[in-house]
Amino acid sequence: SVSRGTGTVVVMTSGGAVNMKGFARVLLEPGETRRVTVELERRSFAYYDTDLGEWVVTPGVFEILVGRSSQVIELRRKLTFTK
C-alpha cells in the first residue's frame, strides 16, 4: 500500500526562534525512498524591520532542521550569515 508523508523544513535562529519555511508532500511505496528538494531563499532567514521598511537578515548562525514534522527532526545543518 502507498504511504503518504510530509517532509518539513524548519529554520531556527541563534535566539531560538523556530519557523517552518517549507514542506514537501510525497507518496511512497513501502521501503521506497525519494530525494525531495525544498528551496530556501535569503528571505527565509529574514525578518521585516518596520523602521527600515524592508526584510533584513541578522548576521549569525541559523540551524536548518529537516524531518517528518517539527517534532521529528532527522537532519540538522548550520548556516552562518555574515554582514
Side-chain angles (χ1 to χ4, degrees), residues 20-83:
M20 187 174 89
K21 296 297 181 174
F23 69 94
R25 195 164 280 137
V26 294
L27 297 176
L28 300 172
E29 295 290 338
E32 180 183 9
T33 61
R34 184 175 302 163
R35 182 179 296 254
V36 176
T37 301
V38 177
E39 293 186 26
L40 298 175
E41 299 175 357
R42 185 174 177 85
R43 188 165 160 178
S44 299
F45 303 91
Y47 71 95
Y48 190 77
D49 187 316
T50 55
D51 292 334
L52 296 175
E54 62 184 32
W55 290 92
V56 176
V57 176
T58 303
V61 177
F62 293 81
E63 191 167 12
I64 302 167
L65 312 172
V66 180
R68 295 179 204 155
S69 72
S70 61
Q71 303 302 311
V72 182
I73 302 301
E74 299 172 20
L75 176 68
R76 294 174 178 261
R77 292 292 183 266
K78 290 186 178 179
L79 177 67
T80 302
F81 278 96
T82 57
K83 248 183 152 178

